[in-house]
Amino acid sequence: MKVAIVGGGIAGLSSAWALTKRGHDVTLIEQGELPNLLSASGDEHRMIRRGYGSADGYARTISEAFEAWEEMWGDLGRSHLAARGVLAMSQIAGDDGEKFREGYDRMGEAYELYEPKDAARRYPFIDPGTIRYAYHTKAGGALLCQRIARDLARWLQEKGAVLRLNSGVTAIDEQAGGVTLADGARITADQIIIAAGAWVLRLVPELAESLRLYRTAVAYLAPPADLAAAWAEAPAILDIGGKAEAYMLPPVDGTGLKVGAGVHKRPASAPDANRSPIPGEGESLRKLLSPPLARIDDYRVSRVVTCAYTFTADEKFLSYRKGKALVVSACSGHGYKFGAAIGRRVATALETGNDPALLAWLRAEA
Ligand SMILES: Cc1cc2nc3c(=O)[nH]c(=O)nc-3n(C[C@H](O)[C@H](O)[C@H](O)COP(=O)(O)OP(=O)(O)OC[C@H]3O[C@@H](n4cnc5c(N)ncnc54)[C@H](O)[C@@H]3O)c2cc1C
C-alpha cells in the first residue's frame, strides 16, 4: 500500500514506523524540520506514567503503550525512556494528587507512600509543611522526544521511507488519494494519514466541531545549586497537588528541569499565533510550584517554550475517516506517551479497514 503521512509529530512518525515495518511504501511530509520544535511533540521531554486519575480506560491501555515503546527501542537500537519513576503529591483533600492515587488503587497499581517528612528526606526540594503525602511508582518517567524524532527519521530513511521536510501540505484530495505541497508538487497515495496536530483544522475544517485549539507554555528552571543533585536524580512529577494542575519533568542527560500546568492553557485563534513567550509567563509558571516546593524564589527561569494543541470535549483522542484520508489526533494534552502504540494501531486500521476499532481504542473504550 502507498501511504502519504501528513505531519512528523509522534503520531505521524510512529505511524510511518509501523507501516514501514509492515512493508508499506511510506512518504512522510512535514512542514518544518524533524523534530519540529513548534509541534506538540517537539519539546525536550514528555511524561509517561501509569497514573490516569479517573480515566480508567487509558489506565488500562497504558500497558500497550509501554510495550509498543519497547518494540520501537528494539528497532532504534536504544531506549529513549529515562525510567525515573513517577512521583505525585496531595496538598488538600480531593485534589488531583489524591485522585491519581485513587486511580492507582482502583487499578491495583503498586506505589510507595511517604509521610511529608519522609518525602522531604527523599526529595529535599519538597516543603514537608505543605503536603499531606507523596507517593512514588516505579513505572514511567521521561520520554526524550527530540531524540526519538531524530532516531525515527534516521530509521525511516534507512528502511526506504521518503521524508519530505520543510514541505507543507496545502490540500488533500481524499477522493482520488493525493496531497498537494506548498511548492505545487503532488503526491498520490492509496491512503493518506493526516496527523497534523494543532494545524489539522486547516486541512479538515469540519473538525472544528470536535477539536478546540489552545496555546500553553512550559518553563525550564535552573534550581538552586544545593538542590541540583537532588533534581538530577528526581522522578517525573505527575501532579504537585493543590489546584495548579502542575507537573514537572526532571533534568535527564542534558535536558532541563521543566514545569507545565493545566491552568496555564488558553484558547487560541491559530496554531502559530502568540508563539513568542509573553513577558512574565515563565515567572508565573515558576510561582505555581509553591506550595509544595521549598525555596521557590531561589529557582531561575532559564527558558520558556510555547505550545499549541487541540482538545476534544471529553479529552479523549480522535480519528476521523474522510474518503482515502484518515485523520489521527493524539490530542487533549496526553497523547505523546501513546505514540508508538498509536502508530501500530493506525497501521492495523489501514490494513484491515476497521476504522471503528481504531476509534474505540483511541477513546480507550476497546
Ligand atoms: C505543554 C504540553 C505538555 C504535554 N505533556 C504531555 C506529557 O507529559 N505526556 C504525554 O503523553 N503527552 C503530553 N502532551 C501531549 C502531546 O505532546 C501530544 O499529544 C502529542 O505530541 C501530539 O502529537 P501529534 O503527532 O498528534 O501532533 P504534533 O506533535 O503537533 O505534530 C503535528 C505535526 O504535523 C505537522 N504539520 C501540521 N500541518 C502540516 C501540513 N499541512 N503539512 C506538513 N506538516 C504539517 C506539524 O508541523 C507537526 O510537526 C503535552 C502537550 C503539551 C502541549
Side-chain angles (χ1 to χ4, degrees):
M1 187 168 27
K2 199 172 169 200
V3 186
I5 301 177
V6 185
I10 197 59
L13 279 170
S14 295
S15 300
W17 162 69
L19 285 158
T20 301
K21 270 190 90 162
R22 297 182 192 193
H24 299 293
D25 174 1
V26 170
T27 300
L28 181 141
I29 307 132
E30 163 56 46
Q31 63 187 353
E33 297 286 344
L34 276 180
N36 183 340
L37 304 189
L38 289 173
S39 74
S41 308
D43 203 4
E44 289 185 351
H45 36 24
R46 291 279 185 249
M47 196 184 309
I48 180 164
R49 27 92 177 179
R50 300 193 72 87
Y52 248 98
S54 57
D56 289 351
Y58 287 108
R60 291 190 192 97
T61 315
I62 195 70
S63 296
E64 183 178 330
F66 275 98
E67 190 263 310
W69 287 116
E70 289 305 318
E71 183 188 336
M72 187 182 279
W73 308 150
D75 289 340
L76 298 182
R78 55 180 165 174
S79 168
H80 292 300
L81 167 64
R84 296 278 187 87
V86 175
L87 185 73
M89 291 160 245
S90 173
Q91 296 182 35
I92 46 179
D95 64 8
D96 285 349
E98 182 142 277
K99 287 184 189 138
F100 280 116
R101 183 182 165 196
E102 288 166 357
Y104 283 144
D105 290 341
R106 270 196 316 284
M107 292 294 125
E109 189 66 39
Y111 55 84
E112 246 183 277
L113 184 64
Y114 309 126
E115 295 296 320
K117 280 192 179 142
D118 191 15
R121 244 191 319 273
R122 288 167 189 270
Y123 307 109
F125 42 80
I126 295 176
D127 175 356
T130 62
I131 61 167
R132 300 164 68 220
Y133 55 78
Y135 53 103
H136 179 267
T137 47
K138 286 206 177 88
L143 288 161
L144 303 173
C145 314
Q146 296 178 356
R147 297 180 196 187
I148 292 171
R150 280 190 207 103
D151 264 11
L152 277 173
R154 177 187 51 76
W155 184 92
L156 286 166
Q157 280 171 314
E158 281 170 10
K159 300 292 171 198
V162 176
L163 303 186
R164 301 278 298 249
L165 306 186
N166 301 300
S167 307
V169 169
T170 51
I172 307 277
D173 182 347
E174 67 275 4
Q175 296 312 323
V179 301
T180 306
L181 309 190
D183 63 6
R186 192 164 189 280
I187 295 170
T188 57
D190 303 311
Q191 292 282 328
I192 303 157
I193 297 169
I194 305 177
W199 293 264
V200 66
L201 300 177
R202 290 188 180 158
L203 298 171
V204 195
E206 67 265 34
L207 280 176
E209 303 252 311
S210 315
L211 292 172
R212 289 284 143 82
L213 184 63
Y214 290 88
R215 174 203 181 276
T216 193
V218 294
Y220 284 88
L221 304 175
D226 57 311
L227 291 178
W231 277 114
E233 295 181 349
I237 300 182
L238 165 55
D239 197 284
I240 64 165
K243 295 182 178 163
E245 299 170 20
Y247 58 89
M248 300 185 74
L249 280 156
V252 176
D253 188 22
T255 69
L257 168 63
K258 179 167 81 180
V259 53
V263 296
H264 197 78
K265 87 176 200 290
R266 299 278 179 276
S269 55
D272 301 317
N274 302 315
R275 294 302 299 265
S276 298
I278 299 161
E281 190 161 26
E283 290 303 312
S284 59
L285 280 161
R286 179 180 65 84
K287 284 182 186 148
L288 286 175
L289 294 174
S290 174
L293 292 202
R295 298 168 49 204
I296 197 63
D297 290 337
D298 295 343
Y299 288 67
R300 189 173 50 77
V301 175
S302 53
R303 200 156 52 93
V304 175
V305 174
T306 65
C307 316
Y309 53 168
T310 57
F311 279 66
T312 56
D314 58 10
E315 303 200 352
K316 296 187 172 189
F317 309 145
L318 172 149
S319 62
Y320 171 71
R321 168 62 68 177
K322 195 176 178 190
K324 293 185 175 175
L326 179 67
V327 178
V328 178
S329 188
C331 52
S332 305
H334 62 107
Y336 195 92
K337 67 180 80 57
F338 285 99
I342 288 173
R344 298 195 315 193
R345 289 277 178 169
V346 167
T348 300
L350 256 55
E351 287 178 335
T352 61
N354 194 345
D355 296 336
L358 173 66
L359 181 60
W361 182 83
L362 286 169
R363 293 182 51 76
E365 293 164 356

